[in-house]
Amino acid sequence: MAGPSLMDSLFQRSVDDIIKGIRLSPPGTESTFIAKSLDEIRREIKSTDPQTKATALHKLTYLHSLHGADMSWAAFHSVELSSSSAHSHKRIAFLAASLSFNPSTTEVILLLTHQLRKDLSSSNVHEVSLALSTLSSICNPDLARDLTPELFTLLSSSKIFVRKKAIAAVLRVFEQYPDAVLVCFKRVVENLENGDMGVLSAVVGLFCELTEKDPKSYLPLAPEFYKILVDCRNNWVLIKVIKIFAKLAPLEPRLGKRVVEPICEHMGRTGAKSLAFECVRTIVTSLSDHDSAVKLAVGKLREFLLDDDPNLKYLGLQALAIVARTNMWAVLENKELVVKALSDVDVNIKLEALRLVMCMVSEDNIMEICRILISHALKSDPEFCNEILDFILLTCGRNFYEVIFDFDWYVSFLGEMARIPHCQKGSEIESQLVDIGMRVKDARLQLVHVARDLVIDPALLGNPFIHGVLAAAAWVSGEYIELSRNPFEIMEALLQPRTSLLTPSVRAVYIQSAFKVIIFCLNSYLKLNGDDPSYPSESTYSDVKSDYPGRFETVASQLLSDTEPDNPNMVVKHGQKPSVSSKMHHLTLESLVALVNLVETNLGPLAGSNEVEVQERASNVLGLIKLIKPKLLGCLDTREGDKANGELKASEMVELIFGAFSEDLGPVSLNAQERVPVPDGLVLKENLRDLEEICGDIELPLSTSFSLVKLQTMDATSNLEHHSKEEFEPSTESTSLLAEHRKRHGLYYLPAENAGIISNDYPPAHDPKDKASDETEDLVKLTEQSLVIKKKPNQAKSRPVVVKLDDGEGFKVAAKAPEFKADLISGAVQEVLLGNEATTSSSRRKSSKKSSKRREMDESNVGVPESKNEIVKADMPEIGFSSSGRRKHHGHGKERKHRSSGKDKVHDHKDKQKSEHGHGKHKSRQRADGALAAQSPVIPDFLL
Amino acid sequence: MGIRFVLMVNKQGQTRLAQYYEYLNLEERRALEGEIVRKCLARNEQQCSFVEHRNYKVVYRRYASLFFLVGVDNEENELAILEFIHLLVETMDRHFGNVCELDIMFHLEKAHFMLEEMVMNGCIVETSKSNILAPIQLMDKA
């Protein structure tokens, strides 16, 4: 490409030309125009004429900023132009740099260091300000390190215009180069007392950002912030300073007591909604234990909620949600406003209102609230409808259906939700249906009804969103088929032609359920026929029957209508079990054969399905039919003769399979495994890498000497701690894995009541021989007992028993409090503040000594930094000369003083206090010296 | 960092000014702008001016054909940002006299300079209109 010619410079297009060109180019051709312009720019930017170059760069910046053109290739040209003597060129260059440079990858940034340093020291404030803006947007660690001295000078510049920008730029520099804190922090703090709003705004803004990251380090500055809070009249500054207190107050209760009054004052006095809202938000988040303030704040919130402005309404609801955590009454007081907001035109407001409504839920009002919400869901758009469903499911399912008393209602309600046209929450409804089936025995009957209605409706099969729900319904129908009114009807529903619309995994559930149904029918029939009293499933069956006597009446009557009565001699009769046989006597062999045939016809084709799950399950059922059918037909043919014989064989099989299905999967306690005692000598924490060594040796005896060997090889400290416990507890490693497993498969662990019982399918590896067998037997007994107890519903309680897992809370695994990783900035800040604080507090104490009365008044002012020191001390024990012992003593003295600060006691302790005070001062001086001395080598130049 | 970005977008969704206070590359910018513009422009006058997007709160306000969108972090005071937007518009109005989309298009750098005076590093440093405009007027004279 040729260099730029004179013609190029003469006829260069201006930025305006480019903008006009883009506007005039017909739609779709813009990118061609831009590409063409970029080609021009590439040529022009190489020009030696600074004006041409500046214009080119300007155009490029425009295209980059608004049309997404890449300009990383032009980074060097920005650097080049930045040294231009013309201010307008410099501006363009720095603007281009700040809009396009990537602080972490643009390499030419380093080349800017010199230019920036020159500009920062310039006498022209505009150049300085430009350099500061640029620095704050492209700052990287190198730049920060190299320019810290210049920045330090500017922090106390006499020109306000420059000073405020220097303060704002400092934040970025601190982030990139934490050592700058040591240099600059003191000067930044000094600016807190500046009277200029620009400076104050910048410095308070800076501290607001810093406090957000690590509030603790800035507690010592509370008195300065407090002064601003009381004296300042600028809303921007006040908002920021209140934000700072919102972060500091929770750390220091005395501070909260102190600031709550001025904040309330601001809230009452101000006409600015932004400031009022900030006060409200701070009170409800950080000062929520000051009742009168919270009352005031809630009153203000109500004004917001009643306002027509949607912004205030939205923020009001948001703040109300914060109040709800600590003061529920505030929400209840504004209940009608919240419900009204549910039908707002703005979805954001509706969502906030929904969140609040769900806060209000209790077991008394859950049904009412759900009814209201569902009616809202039905008339809102699909998106919000699903939000509502989501919230309902979440709230109702929380903590094992804590708010649900009437499970029959809830189960029906789940069915209703699944039928809402826009419902996309199938998977959640699915898991709750199954979960309730397993946990709440008393709800099963209603559950089966709901499931029947879902399974039987062919229209639902077409909606892929609720296939999950159908899977759950099918599972429930199969699992609890004995509670069904009409198993035949269920079977037909499970096999209906439209099931082909289901996904394979759901279809597999359908087939498996059909399997359960057919086994149930066969078993019922055979059991009625052969009146063998030792029939194993008899007991299960009569259990069920006695639990639900009424329902079986209906089973019988339904069966009556379903079966053809034209074969009276096939009707089962006997006298031994009149109650059962009279109910089931219409379960005829014919109807059974018809059922088997139905299954065979429907599942036959599926044996060749491509989907393995479907194919396998269908084959299972077909295999069974193949075995059973001849026997059944045999019975049909030979009538009385061979019947008993054939039946016997069939019954054996059916009985076996039925037995397998009728076994209830009981939950297993979360800590069942934990309670298995670790036998003596078994060390679970054994490091297996040592296995070779151990194996290489002759077998070692399982004794204490064994663990001693291990002791040496393993991590010494952790082992020492754990060693004694290990004899009795499982290792932490295995428990954490176990906990993980529990979290995933919580259902299969025993509930809390059985915690004491050890499951016998986890036999201790090394049990003393004599005990082993006994224990196992005992365990079996205990487990059985507990299961029996569980089966009896507690009649005294109105709420059905919900089987819970042992450590219900285990689900919400408390996030480990992140270890305090001393972040570099706060570390540096603490370092500076410690020195700083020592001097200020000692000087303050000097003045306070003059009048003890004033001292008492100012106590919180003095006291705050005092306690601060203790906190700081905890993190930075190595600073200064003062030993921790001394400081502790000092703190004690202070504390005593606080305790005795009650008015009547003041005199008694006056002398003592005085002496202690002097003591304290002396020490703090020492400390101050120490801190300064410790600091001095770091910043030799600037403190002088 | 209080303010994370300032966008000006016209009714058609074309960006007219974009200032970021943290580095995002071109693709990220384009994606973010697209998503936010779609979200905000779909809303009507009766709806509130706050939208949550990713980890930003977006505070926006419409003036004639131009939308002003400001992305802030979660701690920021939404109402104060609305006031900030208003201040920005008033400042531009004072400078350009009845400011319109074209003014900002053809004087993009000036709009950037004004923002630069008002916000640094995401912190609002100047709220007085005459203070904001003083350096720009000086520049015009030069």
Side-chain angles (χ1 to χ4, degrees):
Chain A
M1 209 186 286
S5 64
L6 184 64
M7 294 297 278
D8 282 333
S9 310
L10 276 177
F11 298 103
Q12 185 185 25
R13 283 198 274 186
S14 68
V15 182
D16 286 7
D17 294 335
I18 295 270
I19 298 168
K20 282 177 195 153
I22 293 174
R23 280 167 65 81
L24 289 176
S25 59
T29 60
E30 277 175 27
S31 53
T32 359
F33 180 83
I34 291 171
K36 217 178 105 208
S37 310
L38 282 172
D39 282 343
E40 280 172 20
I41 290 167
R42 275 176 196 276
R43 237 176 311 130
E44 292 160 9
I45 210 163
K46 291 182 192 144
S47 162
T48 44
D49 172 34
Q51 182 57 49
T52 314
K53 200 182 191 69
T55 308
L57 193 61
H58 193 178
K59 289 194 286 188
L60 185 57
T61 311
Y62 181 87
L63 293 177
H64 166 79
S65 179
L66 297 190
H67 297 276
D70 173 46
M71 67 177 288
S72 52
W73 56 271
F76 183 70
H77 296 289
S78 308
V79 176
E80 232 179 353
L81 194 66
S82 70
S83 58
S84 163
S85 54
H87 187 69
S88 58
H89 294 168
K90 200 190 271 292
R91 278 217 102 115
I92 287 169
F94 278 135
L95 181 65
S98 60
L99 287 178
S100 69
F101 282 11
N102 178 351
S104 45
T105 60
T106 307
E107 282 165 1
V108 295
I109 286 182
L110 280 186
L111 302 179
L112 266 180
T113 314
H114 178 68
Q115 186 59 43
L116 281 173
R117 183 178 290 139
K118 216 173 111 195
D119 287 342
L120 285 175
S121 333
S122 159
S123 57
N124 179 343
V125 283
H126 298 291
E127 272 177 15
V128 181
S129 124
L130 191 56
L132 282 170
S133 309
T134 313
L135 175 64
S136 72
S137 47
I138 63 168
C139 191
N140 63 16
D142 292 327
L143 218 49
R145 188 193 55 230
D146 295 341
L147 297 177
T148 296
E150 278 72 27
L151 200 58
F152 173 77
T153 322
L154 290 173
L155 280 175
S156 54
S157 159
S158 58
K159 291 154 193 149
I160 296 301
F161 180 67
V162 167
R163 200 200 275 206
K164 71 180 183 208
K165 292 197 169 187
I167 294 167
V170 131
L171 174 64
R172 194 60 184 268
V173 173
F174 281 1
E175 276 166 9
Q176 299 291 327
Y177 177 63
D179 283 353
V181 175
L182 294 174
V183 181
C184 301
F185 197 75
K186 250 182 120 183
R187 285 221 170 154
V188 173
V189 172
E190 279 162 17
N191 280 304
L192 276 173
E193 306 192 346
N194 198 292
D196 181 79
M197 276 313 134
V199 172
L200 206 56
S201 174
V203 73
V204 170
L206 167 70
F207 276 111
C208 189
E209 297 302 320
L210 290 172
T211 348
E212 209 172 286
K213 277 170 203 134
D214 173 40
K216 212 162 53 184
S217 310
Y218 305 95
L219 265 173
L221 293 171
E224 279 84 358
F225 295 141
Y226 183 79
K227 226 176 126 229
I228 297 173
L229 176 71
V230 176
D231 296 341
C232 185
R233 284 292 164 270
N234 180 308
N235 288 345
W236 300 92
V237 175
L238 280 174
I239 287 172
K240 289 283 176 190
V241 101
I242 289 172
K243 272 185 192 301
I244 293 176
F245 278 117
K247 290 279 176 295
L248 297 185
L251 301 176
E252 175 58 68
R254 282 172 299 176
L255 189 61
K257 234 176 269 168
R258 191 80 181 170
V259 296
V260 69
E261 199 181 311
I263 290 181
C264 286
E265 245 172 62
H266 280 303
M267 185 170 67
R269 190 177 47 209
T270 183
K273 295 278 193 254
S274 51
L275 178 56
F277 181 68
E278 199 56 53
C279 295
V280 169
R281 184 149 61 184
T282 299
I283 289 172
V284 298
T285 45
S286 305
L287 302 165
S288 56
D289 43 352
H290 298 265
D291 290 332
S292 56
V294 172
K295 266 194 198 105
L296 276 177
V298 172
K300 198 83 188 168
L301 273 186
R302 198 176 160 80
E303 282 174 34
F304 279 26
L305 291 175
L306 286 168
D307 205 292
D308 286 333
D309 184 353
N311 291 338
L312 296 185
K313 213 181 281 175
Y314 174 78
L315 294 176
L317 289 170
Q318 241 181 11
L320 208 52
I322 304 173
V323 192
R325 285 178 221 151
T326 47
N327 295 279
M328 204 49 218
W329 58 267
V331 186
L332 295 174
E333 226 170 57
N334 296 295
K335 198 164 109 190
E336 73 288 358
L337 289 174
V338 174
V339 173
K340 210 177 114 202
L342 270 182
S343 25
D344 201 274
V345 287
D346 185 353
V347 68
N348 290 1
I349 291 180
K350 287 201 282 190
L351 271 178
E352 289 300 325
L354 184 58
R355 235 166 258 168
L356 273 172
V357 170
M358 291 333 270
C359 287
M360 287 192 267
V361 163
S362 71
E363 59 228 15
D364 306 321
N365 59 14
I366 178 84
M367 288 164 82
E368 189 200 336
I369 286 181
C370 286
R371 210 172 16 247
I372 294 173
L373 288 181
I374 281 294
S375 66
H376 270 285
L378 285 170
K379 56 189 180 195
S380 31
D381 54 306
E383 197 185 333
F384 189 59
C385 171
N386 279 302
E387 289 287 352
I388 292 183
L389 296 184
D390 209 21
F391 270 100
I392 293 178
L393 288 168
L394 201 72
T395 311
C396 293
R398 195 172 49 206
N399 207 1
F400 305 106
Y401 314 98
E402 168 178 70
V403 291
I404 307 289
F405 259 63
D406 185 350
F407 274 91
D408 286 356
W409 163 78
Y410 185 57
V411 166
S412 321
F413 185 64
L414 282 176
E416 232 174 90
M417 279 201 272
R419 285 163 180 275
I420 290 177
H422 303 303
C423 174
Q424 291 171 12
K425 298 290 160 199
S427 60
E428 182 57 30
I429 298 179
E430 173 191 4
S431 58
Q432 289 203 1
L433 284 175
V434 174
D435 197 38
I436 291 176
M438 301 223 240
R439 286 180 197 276
V440 193
K441 201 165 164 28
D442 292 2
R444 285 182 192 164
L445 187 61
Q446 181 64 22
L447 194 60
V448 168
H449 288 175
V450 171
R452 173 206 170 263
D453 292 346
L454 287 170
V455 171
I456 219 160
D457 188 348
L460 296 178
L461 288 164
N463 179 358
F465 288 119
I466 62 165
H467 280 180
V469 182
L470 292 179
W475 181 83
V476 166
S477 308
E479 184 68 19
Y480 307 116
I481 185 68
E482 70 271 11
L483 304 181
S484 166
R485 272 192 209 130
N486 186 347
F488 289 6
E489 176 192 70
I490 299 285
M491 181 60 98
E492 276 164 15
L494 290 173
L495 297 173
Q496 61 184 299
R498 275 172 70 93
T499 50
S500 57
L501 297 170
L502 294 168
T503 50
S505 57
V506 178
R507 198 138 195 224
V509 179
Y510 267 63
I511 298 170
Q512 185 72 1
S513 296
F515 195 8
K516 287 177 186 167
V517 175
I518 198 169
I519 286 295
F520 172 76
C521 291
L522 285 169
N523 186 60
S524 310
Y525 170 74
L526 290 168
K527 189 178 38 139
L528 290 175
N529 264 4
D531 17 278
D532 183 1
S534 67
Y535 206 83
S537 54
E538 198 84 44
S539 59
T540 326
Y541 186 72
S542 46
D543 261 0
V544 169
K545 178 177 56 83
S546 62
D547 277 356
Y548 305 98
R551 289 305 159 192
F552 273 79
E553 226 84 62
T554 53
V555 170
S557 54
Q558 286 281 336
L559 288 174
L560 181 77
S561 61
D562 259 33
T563 53
E564 325 91 296
D566 56 337
N567 251 346
N569 46 346
M570 288 319 297
V571 170
V572 190
K573 355 172 161 67
H574 19 147
Q576 282 208 320
K577 290 249 166 194
S579 63
V580 177
S581 59
S582 68
K583 278 171 202 155
M584 299 299 282
H585 73 290
H586 286 291
L587 186 59
T588 63
L589 200 51
E590 271 76 22
S591 62
L592 215 50
V593 171
L595 185 72
V596 169
N597 283 335
L598 175 76
V599 176
E600 199 176 14
T601 354
N602 278 293
L603 294 186
L606 293 181
S609 165
N610 284 336
E611 300 294 338
V612 279
E613 276 289 288
V614 173
Q615 188 264 337
E616 230 162 79
R617 277 162 208 268
S619 302
N620 282 347
V621 183
L622 291 171
L624 172 87
I625 290 175
K626 216 171 160 187
L627 286 171
I628 295 286
K629 209 175 161 191
K631 315 277 193 246
L632 288 176
L633 290 175
C635 298
L636 208 56
D637 289 342
T638 52
R639 303 276 154 115
E640 297 299 319
D642 243 1
K643 188 177 148 198
N645 189 17
E647 213 164 66
L648 206 66
K649 283 182 195 161
S651 69
E652 273 169 23
M653 274 184 302
V654 172
E655 167 194 315
L656 252 168
I657 301 172
F658 184 76
F661 280 140
S662 61
E663 192 85 13
D664 228 354
L665 259 190
V668 179
S669 162
L670 276 178
N671 45 19
Q673 213 161 5
E674 254 170 41
R675 278 161 215 248
V676 176
V678 177
D680 288 342
L682 176 67
V683 185
L684 290 175
K685 273 205 123 176
E686 186 64 60
N687 189 345
L688 289 179
R689 270 185 304 179
D690 302 334
L691 209 60
E692 295 152 35
E693 291 173 32
I694 296 164
C695 289
D697 287 334
I698 324 149
E699 12 168 336
L700 283 160
L702 291 176
S703 65
T704 43
S705 66
F706 182 82
S707 43
L708 277 174
V709 170
K710 173 214 66 190
L711 223 159
Q712 289 162 347
T713 53
M714 281 180 60
D715 181 13
T717 47
S718 72
N719 200 36
L720 272 171
E721 281 167 23
H722 289 288
H723 183 58
S724 56
K725 292 180 199 163
E726 267 168 16
E727 311 284 333
F728 310 103
E729 285 178 5
S731 78
T732 46
E733 269 171 5
S734 66
T735 38
S736 70
L737 280 175
L738 201 57
E740 190 66 29
H741 188 263
R742 266 174 208 145
K743 243 170 47 183
R744 277 199 225 142
H745 308 282
L747 286 171
Y748 307 119
Y749 286 86
L750 273 179
E753 319 64 293
N754 300 351
I757 301 146
I758 300 151
S759 149
N760 61 335
D761 50 20
Y762 185 78
H766 293 269
D767 231 23
K769 292 143 234 154
D770 49 333
K771 269 190 181 176
S773 55
D774 289 1
E775 257 183 25
T776 322
E777 273 170 28
D778 285 350
L779 288 175
V780 174
K781 268 186 231 159
L782 280 169
T783 323
E784 272 167 14
Q785 275 172 10
S786 69
L787 283 174
V788 170
I789 292 163
K790 245 192 350 193
K791 275 184 181 169
K792 302 241 160 97
N794 194 347
Q795 300 293 347
K797 267 190 183 176
S798 60
R799 184 172 188 259
V801 183
V802 180
V803 179
K804 283 183 198 172
L805 300 173
D806 196 4
D807 307 323
E809 287 74 27
F811 277 108
K812 318 157 197 158
V813 176
K816 259 188 203 168
E819 284 169 47
F820 179 65
K821 203 180 119 205
D823 126 53
L824 289 165
I825 297 185
S826 51
V829 166
Q830 282 165 359
E831 212 169 318
V832 174
L833 273 179
L834 196 64
N836 191 21
E837 192 45 49
T839 39
T840 50
S841 59
S842 72
S843 64
R844 207 172 275 157
R845 224 164 282 134
K846 217 181 269 172
S847 65
S848 65
K849 203 181 170 190
K850 284 171 196 160
S851 87
S852 66
K853 258 187 208 164
R854 231 198 95 199
R855 190 182 63 209
E856 292 298 331
M857 304 259 287
D858 281 354
E859 188 182 274
S860 72
N861 265 356
V862 183
V864 169
E866 207 58 50
S867 61
K868 231 64 45 57
N869 277 347
E870 281 177 43
I871 294 163
V872 172
K873 176 196 70 191
D875 292 319
M876 313 221 27
E878 76 283 4
I879 287 273
F881 294 137
S882 50
S883 75
S884 61
R886 261 200 226 151
R887 242 186 276 168
K888 208 174 272 169
H889 169 74
H890 178 72
H892 266 289
K894 232 33 205 174
E895 218 148 88
R896 218 177 304 164
K897 185 187 142 207
H898 280 298
R899 244 178 268 145
S900 63
S901 63
K903 282 165 202 160
D904 46 342
K905 282 185 185 170
V906 170
H907 294 288
D908 304 358
H909 291 265
K910 213 170 178 180
D911 290 359
K912 207 177 175 185
Q913 274 172 25
K914 255 183 196 166
S915 68
E916 265 179 16
H917 213 64
H919 217 54
K921 185 186 76 188
H922 179 61
K923 223 156 289 152
S924 70
R925 253 191 213 146
Q926 266 188 342
R927 189 179 49 196
D929 295 342
L932 285 174
Q935 251 176 277
S936 50
V938 189
I939 32 166
D941 309 337
F942 308 112
L943 281 182
L944 297 174
Chain B
M1 134 152 34
I3 297 177
R4 312 267 215 104
F5 59 81
V6 177
L7 295 178
M8 295 181 199
V9 176
N10 69 8
K11 266 196 303 196
Q12 289 78 40
Q14 292 165 310
T15 309
R16 288 293 171 230
L17 178 144
Q19 171 77 58
Y20 291 86
Y21 294 97
E22 62 193 346
Y23 185 79
L24 295 177
N25 65 36
L26 277 174
E27 288 79 54
E28 291 168 332
R29 287 181 193 193
R30 205 175 307 162
L32 184 73
E33 284 168 28
E35 290 160 10
I36 288 175
V37 164
R38 235 178 323 206
K39 254 191 186 175
C40 294
L41 266 58
R43 296 169 60 82
N44 62 33
E45 292 288 313
Q46 289 101 54
Q47 298 180 323
C48 70
S49 313
F50 316 123
V51 172
E52 283 180 21
H53 182 74
R54 300 203 203 167
N55 47 347
Y56 301 111
K57 279 193 297 201
V58 179
V59 180
Y60 73 95
R61 193 155 177 169
R62 183 180 165 171
Y63 288 88
S65 64
L66 212 53
F67 285 84
F68 289 72
L69 307 117
V70 179
V72 295
D73 62 19
N74 262 323
E75 297 295 316
E76 198 51 71
N77 185 312
E78 295 91 337
L79 293 171
I81 295 299
L82 275 182
E83 283 169 38
F84 163 76
I85 294 176
H86 192 67
L87 175 70
L88 176 63
V89 175
E90 279 183 339
T91 310
M92 292 202 292
D93 213 46
R94 185 187 281 191
H95 183 76
F96 294 113
N98 222 344
V99 66
C100 70
E101 195 184 329
L102 286 179
D103 290 321
I104 296 168
M105 277 181 77
F106 284 98
H107 303 280
L108 184 64
E109 76 289 352
K110 271 187 197 155
H112 272 293
F113 296 152
M114 278 178 218
L115 259 182
E116 219 164 75
E117 292 298 322
M118 295 173 76
V119 184
M120 260 186 84
N121 246 329
C123 290
I124 296 171
V125 287
E126 188 54 76
T127 52
S128 138
K129 270 171 265 180
S130 33
N131 284 356
I132 298 167
L133 290 174
I136 292 154
Q137 278 153 0
L138 264 178
M139 231 172 14
D140 279 357
K141 275 180 214 159

